[in-house]
Amino acid sequence: DARVTQTPRHKVTEMGQEVTMRCQPILGHNTVFWYRQTMMQGLELLAYFRNRAPLDDSGMPKDRFSAEMPDATLATLKIQPSEPRDSAVYFCASRQGANQPQHFGDGTRLSIL
Amino acid sequence: GQSLEQPSEVTAVEGAIVQINCTYQTSGFYGLSWYQQHDGGAPTFLSYNGLDGLEETGRFSSFLSRSDSYGYLLLQELQMKDSASYFCAVRDQDNAGNMLTFGGGTRLMVKP
């Protein structure tokens, strides 16, 4: 059964440190999304790519967050420097086409101390 | 912009039927999706309605009325494993329907 794979599953680090989260989308899926989930804000879209090109990152704090897709099998989300308010679960999702459902990874549970 | 409203919590007993409503306001509309998320887990796709009417998948059904900007998820023969959060999400004309905007989620608690 094809899955979206995210690493690491858990990350605890001190504020000011760089955090890199990785996502391997399902093979053949051309659209990749990054979401952040918190109790207060719910599930928020941070950025998404189609065919590796960034299409929208308006949900992402630009000063510290960056998202890239160096190749079709890898998407990355970086936070530098990290802050306690970045603590959340970060999900990656991929999709085969516009009318297809999004498939989510298991998420990265990030805690910034 | 978009906004979606759904109840924050619903409680029901095993074997019962429960309906989770979702109303939305969007600048355009392509369709309404439903996702399930167990505690500590990932959202998983349940159903999609692009047109008015009822879509049925096993014990779960989803309904859409575009004229009323309203949809619901119907869960029948509830089981304990159905305890989870359920999110409605809209595809709207922003970004040509490529993105989903999620509601705040409805936490369903199924009791014995």
Side-chain angles (χ1 to χ4, degrees), chain A residues 41-43, chain B residues 3-6 22 86-90 101-106:
Chain A
Q41 299 297 326
L43 201 56
Chain B
S3 69
L4 296 94
E5 289 201 13
Q6 52 181 131
C22 175
Y86 293 85
F87 295 86
C88 58
V90 293
T101 300
F102 285 82
T106 298

Side-chain angles (χ1 to χ4, degrees), chain A residues 9 33 35 37 43 45 48 50 55-56 91 95 98-99 101-107 109, chain B residues 35 37 39-45 48 87 91 95-104:
Chain A
R9 290 294 312 279
F33 303 84
Y35 292 91
Q37 187 174 38
L43 201 56
L45 179 68
Y48 83 100
R50 189 196 295 150
L55 291 190
D56 192 296
F91 287 104
R95 182 187 73 190
N99 292 325
Q102 295 185 20
H103 296 262
F104 284 75
D106 289 332
R109 280 151 183 79
Chain B
Y35 283 76
Q37 185 180 27
D39 283 349
T44 57
F45 173 77
Y48 174 73
F87 295 86
R91 286 177 62 203
N95 285 283
N98 286 309
M99 292 162 44
L100 288 179
T101 300
F102 285 82

Side-chain angles (χ1 to χ4, degrees), chain A:
Chain A
D1 210 15
R3 302 177 51 127
V4 174
T5 303
Q6 289 187 246
T7 56
R9 290 294 312 279
H10 303 271
K11 177 74 174 179
V12 180
T13 192
E14 293 184 346
M15 65 178 295
Q17 297 298 306
E18 178 178 300
V19 174
T20 299
M21 291 169 273
R22 293 177 173 82
C23 168
Q24 181 176 2
I26 293 173
L27 189 64
H29 284 197
N30 66 353
T31 309
V32 176
F33 303 84
W34 281 106
Y35 292 91
R36 176 171 63 186
Q37 187 174 38
T38 61
M39 289 295 292
M40 294 301 294
Q41 299 297 326
L43 201 56
E44 305 172 279
L45 179 68
L46 297 175
Y48 83 100
F49 297 77
R50 189 196 295 150
N51 296 323
R52 297 176 54 203
L55 291 190
D56 192 296
D57 61 1
S58 58
M60 203 165 66
K62 304 287 192 307
D63 55 338
R64 299 182 299 108
F65 284 59
S66 62
E68 295 181 346
M69 203 160 173
D71 62 60
T73 64
L74 177 64
T76 63
L77 180 66
K78 291 186 181 181
I79 310 174
Q80 170 62 21
S82 58
E83 297 180 2
R85 59 180 168 153
D86 302 328
S87 298
V89 182
Y90 291 80
F91 287 104
C92 174
S94 70
R95 182 187 73 190
Q96 191 170 34
N99 292 325
Q100 299 301 311
Q102 295 185 20
H103 296 262
F104 284 75
D106 289 332
T108 294
R109 280 151 183 79
L110 178 64
S111 294
I112 308 297
L113 305 177

Side-chain angles (χ1 to χ4, degrees), chain B residues 23-93:
Chain B
T23 56
Y24 58 87
Q25 287 185 318
T26 65
S27 52
F29 182 80
Y30 285 87
L32 185 71
S33 300
W34 289 92
Y35 283 76
Q36 177 192 60
Q37 185 180 27
H38 287 99
D39 283 349
T44 57
F45 173 77
L46 289 178
S47 69
Y48 174 73
N49 294 73
L51 301 173
D52 287 356
L54 193 67
E55 294 284 340
E56 297 179 78
T57 309
R59 295 187 296 114
F60 294 0
S61 304
S62 58
F63 172 82
L64 175 66
S65 168
R66 288 179 298 173
S67 60
D68 295 322
S69 298
Y70 163 76
Y72 66 71
L73 179 69
L74 190 74
L75 298 86
Q76 303 182 72
E77 300 173 22
L78 280 174
Q79 301 176 9
M80 297 297 291
K81 67 178 181 179
D82 297 329
S83 293
S85 292
Y86 293 85
F87 295 86
C88 58
V90 293
R91 286 177 62 203
D92 59 25
Q93 72 176 29

